[in-house]
Amino acid sequence: MTLHETVLHDLRYGFRMLARNPGATFITVLALALGIGVNTAVFTGFKAMVARPIEARDPGEMVNFALKRDTGTPQFSFSNPDYEALRDSVKNVLSLIAYRPSQLIYSEGGGPRKQREPLSGSTLGRLGLLNQDVGAAQFASVFVVSENYFQVLGIKMLQGRSFESMSAAELASTPPVLISENFWQRQFNGDRSIIGKPIYLNGAALTIIGITPHDFVGTSIGAPAFWMPISAEPLVHGDEQWLMDRENQSYRLFGRLAPGVSMTQVEARLNPIADHLRSLHAPRTEWAKPATALVWPGSPFPLPLKEYGGLTLSILLTMAAAAMVLVVACANVASLQLARARARENELRTRMSLGASRLRVIRQLITESALVGILAGGVALLLTWTILKFAVVAMSNAIPGQYGGLIFDVTPDLEIFGFVSAASLFAGMLSGFVPAMESSRSRLAFSTAGGTAPARSRRLQDVLVAAQVALSMVLMIAGSVTIRSSIRTVAIDTGFETERVFALNTQFPDTLKYAPPQRRALIAELRRRLDTLPGIASVTTARAPTDAGARTAATTLDENSSQPHNDQTILLHYTFIEPNYFETLSVPITLGRTLPERSTRAVVVSESAARDLWPGQSPIGRMIRLGPTDERSHAVNELLADGPSYQVVGVARDTRAAEFRATDYRRVYLAMPAERTLFYPLLIRTRSDPQQVIASLDPVLTSIDPNIVASCTTLVEMLHQTAPFIAASMAAFIATSIGLVGLLLALMGIYGTVSFIVVLRTREVGIRMAIGARKSDVLSLILRESARPVFAGLLAGGLLAAGASHLARGLLFGLNGVDVASLAGVSLLFLIIGLLASYPPAHRATSINPVIALRYE
């Protein structure tokens, strides 16, 4: 036969063999499908979330633009004057566009909307991961883009037109806005007469001129409610200088390469322009420091992925865990096929006695395994796509409409099909290689009752079972450790009241009606009203300790030095507070007193800061000097802890929340100037359930001014919104999900392997019982032999997990080495599961009549 005919013959015969044993085929396909499905889900998620391109025509031509300062600090946002200068300078090699996300106060008739999508109905709202809006007004998600945005991306409107079709005079006289198809359907039920109607953002009237396509996200990962041109920014913010302020670094820049132009050429063209622009910025600001241009393939991420060290490591660990699941699945199927192959020894010996070569038999067996892999790949692709589709819908529904909607495309494409095909063939052939090699060793001289093949096969099965247990144990311990780390982040002693304190953030329309004096008056009236509410115990103005925007200052004890010296400095977190801050948050003053009223040169330090600055000494009355650091960039108009020396008047108990490292304890508290209270939230301590107080704020805010937009978040909810907590929770979810799949595969492998072996040993069991062996003896023998590879796998898995824990120490909060509790718990779990999986087939074998067992063939 020709090679083509031989391959077709192998395929037909393989299909017949799979159909002849539907139960065994189902188990092997399911096991491989689980392993392939996990890898497919990880690959699809990576493509949809991390490696997604910009949504545009010919996305391969799109690039991102950023700067990297000589200090190592990346800059991915730019002012409008910088954008215009860059756009005009590189127009021959790059079509540059600008974009920034925003949330503006939205209404349809000039006044604020009275209806809001309830936060309590969303999943993220119930989990406390979103702020709860109060008052009559509401936010809308708005993407502010340059007028050439849709033209450069090559996107046509679903209805109407886009901004590039309007002249500068039209943009000024009739400020336009685009509505996303998603928001149009949800808010206006697809009303086609919406084109030409006005809506109001921050009280400014804009006219809807078009509808963007369904799920269109452009240079982001979510679909907003509206798209607004940059030219409308002064109108909605009530600031004619908004677009002229060179220090207002708000916009991210993207571009489309001209034909024949490379990214390296664009970088070379941009570097001298960037060097010139820095000279136009205010001296001593971050933007005035030397920088080099960064141009990389278009992505919604503001920086190249290599700049996200933690993200890259997380991706690699996730992919490694998924690969381990696939190896477990292959070992699972290999052990099952090895057991099945022993039942086919007569068939294989007959084929070889009729002239089939060992290579021919191996090819036939691997062909059958490849068919199993292809079937498993099809099942995995279908199940993964269905599950991810439901997950994406659930994720989208978890976010209220005013926050926009996350869009992730998980529909299989050629890359995903190619990945699944390659993974399926690889898994199928890998899982069938060892059984094929071992089965082909059968010879005509061997008999089922004698020879060395059964003993060798049994040893191979033990090795495969042990490998499954070891790898699955590592995956389960990884999940257990991340869960314990997540629990530690929740159970951390913050040192302040979290349950009965919430932060109230207010925002006003950017119009002349709400100038700073008017805003301060409204905030003062709000505080006066809050003090009269029966459920409120105390109100203060400050950033919450859970605010991840905490700043650091370089502290020196040298009062005569104008600049901190590196060998004398300690980094401290600093925050501006009012005198009743510690009372409101139940943070005790352990030494000295709180800040006096109307004092700007007194400070309170935390216990850790006092201990590090003045070890073994009293800090009261000591002088310190604070200066800005390069650890975090500061906005030009931000209040800094800088200037003359401060006198320590008190020591407060340590608090911890925003970060999970030792320096989080070192804090210094400064007096907040009265004119700055407008820029900070109100922290409100309640006497009972804070949700009851939050529910009562609607009429208060509406009666003061219905245009005020306010959001409330309890401090425990803010703790859940911090990056370390979210990262730990996501890691726990992913690691646990992958670990559970590995556990299920190991359970299937142990049960299936022991079942096949017991069936093949039915005659042996009958002989043992016929010559006087008791059922308990036979049961004990089978359980011992079944437990042996499980114990070996536990030992190997424990060593691997211990090594991995040692290498990963410090990556997760509270993990400083081997997690003994997780190691012991998971080992005990696997031992119990291994025995439970072995017991049913062993017990079934001892229940067979010895006479029947002796006749078994």
Side-chain angles (χ1 to χ4, degrees):
M1 290 190 297
T2 64
L3 178 62
H4 176 71
E5 293 173 335
T6 302
V7 171
L8 290 179
H9 176 271
D10 288 345
L11 290 173
R12 286 195 299 268
Y13 186 78
F15 275 118
R16 286 201 302 270
M17 291 302 298
L18 295 178
R20 186 179 299 175
N21 299 282
T25 301
F26 174 79
I27 295 297
T28 53
V29 168
L30 177 61
L32 270 189
L34 288 173
I36 297 170
V38 168
N39 284 266
T40 303
V42 170
F43 181 74
T44 305
F46 176 77
K47 277 180 53 68
M49 298 181 186
V50 180
R52 61 188 297 169
I54 291 173
E55 187 174 357
R57 172 180 50 81
D58 298 327
E61 299 177 359
M62 300 299 300
V63 295
N64 289 44
F65 172 63
L67 297 176
K68 192 163 188 177
R69 300 293 169 186
D70 288 356
T71 58
T73 304
Q75 176 196 342
F76 53 82
S77 57
F78 300 83
S79 65
N80 184 65
D82 285 350
Y83 158 65
E84 291 180 342
L86 289 165
R87 178 197 63 195
D88 295 340
S89 301
V90 298
K91 58 185 177 182
N92 294 328
V93 296
L94 184 72
S95 299
L96 209 60
I97 58 176
Y99 147 87
R100 83 175 182 93
S102 179
Q103 281 196 329
L104 302 177
I105 300 173
Y106 160 61
S107 61
E108 293 174 17
R113 287 183 51 79
K114 303 298 180 182
Q115 297 177 351
R116 180 189 293 112
E117 188 173 340
L119 185 67
S120 59
S122 68
T123 303
L124 295 184
R126 289 194 297 269
L127 294 176
L129 297 178
L130 294 175
N131 299 341
Q132 181 174 342
D133 293 345
V134 293
Q138 77 172 55
F139 282 123
S141 173
V142 180
F143 285 177
V144 183
V145 299
S146 55
E147 285 76 7
N148 64 337
Y149 184 86
F150 294 95
Q151 182 182 30
V152 172
L153 293 183
I155 301 299
K156 302 297 183 182
M157 294 299 101
L158 186 67
Q159 289 188 37
R161 54 179 179 156
S162 53
F163 305 134
E164 72 275 1
S165 65
M166 302 180 68
S167 64
E170 287 181 292
L171 290 169
S173 61
T174 311
V177 70
L178 300 173
I179 186 172
S180 73
E181 193 273 347
N182 304 57
F183 191 74
W184 173 57
Q185 292 288 353
R186 182 170 57 244
Q187 194 76 11
F188 298 98
N189 297 318
D191 181 8
R192 295 183 178 275
S193 65
I194 193 70
I195 304 295
K197 289 187 176 180
I199 57 104
Y200 295 81
L201 298 177
N202 277 10
L206 293 93
T207 303
I208 298 175
I209 65 168
I211 302 171
T212 60
H214 178 68
D215 282 351
F216 176 68
V217 297
T219 51
S220 178
I221 62 173
F226 300 101
W227 303 76
M228 187 182 78
I230 285 180
S231 58
E233 290 264 54
L235 179 66
V236 299
H237 294 294
D239 181 3
E240 294 183 356
Q241 302 301 312
W242 178 275
L243 296 179
M244 304 177 190
D245 184 0
R246 193 172 292 275
E247 310 306 326
N248 181 12
Q249 304 286 317
S250 301
Y251 305 99
R252 289 177 54 197
L253 304 186
F254 304 83
R256 182 180 291 277
L257 295 172
V261 176
S262 68
M263 288 185 286
T264 303
Q265 291 174 305
V266 174
E267 285 182 346
R269 180 72 175 271
L270 286 170
N271 276 323
I273 303 171
D275 191 60
H276 169 69
L277 290 178
R278 75 180 182 87
S279 65
L280 304 179
H281 284 272
R284 300 180 60 185
T285 63
E286 187 70 21
W287 328 122
K289 297 177 181 178
T292 55
L294 289 177
V295 180
W296 69 99
S299 165
F301 284 84
L303 291 172
L305 290 181
K306 64 182 180 181
E307 299 289 335
Y308 301 94
L311 177 62
T312 303
L313 178 60
S314 299
I315 292 171
L316 291 176
L317 290 176
T318 302
M319 289 182 172
M324 289 173 66
V325 172
L326 186 58
V327 172
V328 171
C330 291
N332 184 312
V333 173
S335 63
L336 294 175
Q337 290 188 344
L338 194 58
R340 285 181 58 199
R342 288 174 58 187
R344 295 178 61 183
E345 286 183 355
N346 288 335
E347 171 205 343
L348 297 179
R349 283 199 305 272
T350 301
R351 295 187 65 182
M352 297 179 72
S353 67
L354 293 176
S357 65
R358 185 185 178 196
L359 180 61
R360 184 71 179 84
V361 172
I362 291 175
R363 190 172 69 184
Q364 174 61 54
L365 294 176
I366 290 182
T367 299
E368 294 177 18
S369 300
L371 288 175
V372 171
I374 293 173
L375 291 175
V379 173
L381 182 62
L382 182 61
L383 289 178
T384 302
W385 178 54
T386 303
I387 293 172
L388 289 179
K389 197 69 176 176
F390 277 112
V392 167
V393 173
M395 189 183 301
S396 179
N397 293 336
I399 303 176
Q402 62 263 32
Y403 289 90
L406 294 177
I407 306 298
F408 297 109
D409 185 10
V410 295
T411 304
D413 57 13
L414 288 178
E415 284 188 0
I416 294 176
F417 275 117
F419 175 84
V420 173
S421 300
S424 302
L425 284 173
F426 172 79
M429 297 178 71
L430 179 64
S431 62
F433 180 75
V434 172
M437 295 297 293
E438 179 61 25
S439 299
S440 66
R441 292 178 184 272
S442 298
R443 291 295 187 267
L444 187 60
F446 292 163
S447 66
T448 305
T452 60
R456 178 185 176 90
S457 297
R458 193 174 302 172
R459 286 195 297 270
L460 283 174
Q461 286 169 332
D462 287 349
V463 170
L464 292 171
V465 170
Q468 295 176 63
V469 172
L471 294 178
S472 300
M473 184 179 177
V474 172
L475 294 173
M476 282 296 296
I477 289 178
S480 175
V481 167
T482 51
I483 288 176
R484 285 168 60 82
S485 175
S486 182
I487 292 174
R488 290 188 186 105
T489 64
V490 178
I492 184 176
D493 181 12
T494 60
F496 57 88
E497 173 64 48
T498 59
E499 298 289 344
R500 292 191 295 147
V501 178
F502 66 90
L504 175 64
N505 289 275
T506 56
Q507 182 169 326
F508 300 86
D510 291 323
T511 63
L512 294 178
K513 176 184 176 182
Y514 296 97
Q518 286 73 29
R519 297 186 186 189
R520 278 194 290 270
L522 290 173
I523 293 296
E525 175 63 17
L526 175 59
R527 288 197 62 165
R528 188 187 67 79
R529 297 277 194 92
L530 292 175
D531 287 334
T532 64
L533 292 180
I536 294 179
S538 179
V539 181
T540 191
T541 300
R543 276 199 182 104
T546 50
D547 189 341
R551 302 299 184 187
T552 56
T555 308
T556 179
L557 306 183
D558 182 3
E559 300 176 25
N560 298 319
S561 173
S562 59
Q563 293 293 330
H565 298 297
N566 291 334
D567 58 348
Q568 298 178 320
T569 61
I570 290 180
L571 293 181
L572 301 181
H573 288 284
Y574 70 85
T575 187
F576 292 89
I577 64 169
E578 293 182 325
N580 67 336
Y581 173 87
F582 301 105
E583 174 191 356
T584 302
L585 270 67
S586 298
V587 178
I589 299 294
T590 58
L591 188 65
R593 59 190 175 92
T594 187
L595 296 177
E597 295 284 350
R598 292 181 293 277
S599 173
T600 58
R601 308 316 313 166
V603 296
V604 172
V605 296
S606 67
E607 292 174 331
S608 292
R611 187 165 51 250
D612 292 342
L613 290 169
W614 301 281
Q617 305 176 51
S618 172
I620 304 302
R622 302 277 184 166
M623 305 298 291
I624 61 173
R625 184 185 297 275
L626 303 176
T629 69
D630 290 332
E631 183 170 326
R632 287 192 174 97
S633 60
H634 294 73
V636 175
N637 60 350
E638 186 174 0
L639 185 61
L640 301 180
D642 193 9
S645 297
Y646 297 87
Q647 184 180 40
V648 178
V649 299
V651 178
R653 189 177 72 179
D654 285 340
T655 61
R656 189 174 191 176
E659 298 176 353
F660 298 128
R661 56 180 179 175
T663 56
D664 194 29
Y665 283 123
R666 296 202 297 253
R667 295 178 180 269
V668 58
Y669 303 91
L670 297 87
M672 180 181 296
E675 68 273 9
R676 302 292 300 186
T677 58
L678 178 64
F679 304 99
Y680 291 81
L682 297 177
L683 300 181
I684 303 171
R685 179 184 173 87
T686 64
R687 294 187 173 90
S688 57
D689 182 9
Q691 296 301 328
Q692 296 179 356
V693 177
I694 293 174
S696 67
L697 293 181
D698 271 331
V700 174
L701 289 164
T702 303
S703 63
I704 294 174
D705 192 318
N707 290 314
I708 297 178
V709 176
S711 60
C712 298
T713 316
T714 64
L715 297 197
V716 69
E717 291 171 344
M718 292 184 70
L719 185 63
H720 292 175
Q721 295 172 13
T722 56
F725 178 84
I726 294 176
S729 301
M730 287 296 295
F733 174 76
I734 293 173
T736 303
S737 300
I738 292 177
L740 288 175
V741 174
L743 178 63
L744 176 60
L745 286 171
L747 175 62
M748 292 170 57
I750 296 171
Y751 179 84
T753 302
V754 174
S755 296
F756 272 110
I757 291 176
V758 169
V759 169
L760 294 174
R761 296 177 67 182
T762 301
R763 183 179 178 85
E764 174 195 340
V765 170
I767 294 173
R768 288 179 181 274
M769 296 181 67
I771 62 177
R774 294 176 299 178
K775 289 186 177 181
S776 58
D777 295 333
V778 176
L779 180 63
S780 176
L781 173 66
I782 296 177
L783 288 178
R784 284 199 308 271
E785 293 184 355
S786 302
R788 186 170 55 216
V790 175
F791 274 114
L794 290 178
L795 179 60
L799 293 175
L800 289 173
S805 297
H806 179 74
L807 293 175
R809 66 189 185 280
L811 292 179
L812 296 175
F813 177 65
L815 177 62
N816 297 315
V818 179
D819 192 332
V820 178
S822 298
L823 187 61
V826 174
S827 299
L828 181 61
L829 175 65
F830 265 94
L831 181 59
I832 294 173
I833 287 176
L835 293 175
L836 289 177
S838 303
Y839 182 80
H843 177 72
R844 190 164 56 247
T846 60
S847 302
I848 300 175
N849 188 314
V851 177
I852 298 176
L854 289 172
R855 296 174 180 171
Y856 180 81
E857 181 61 37

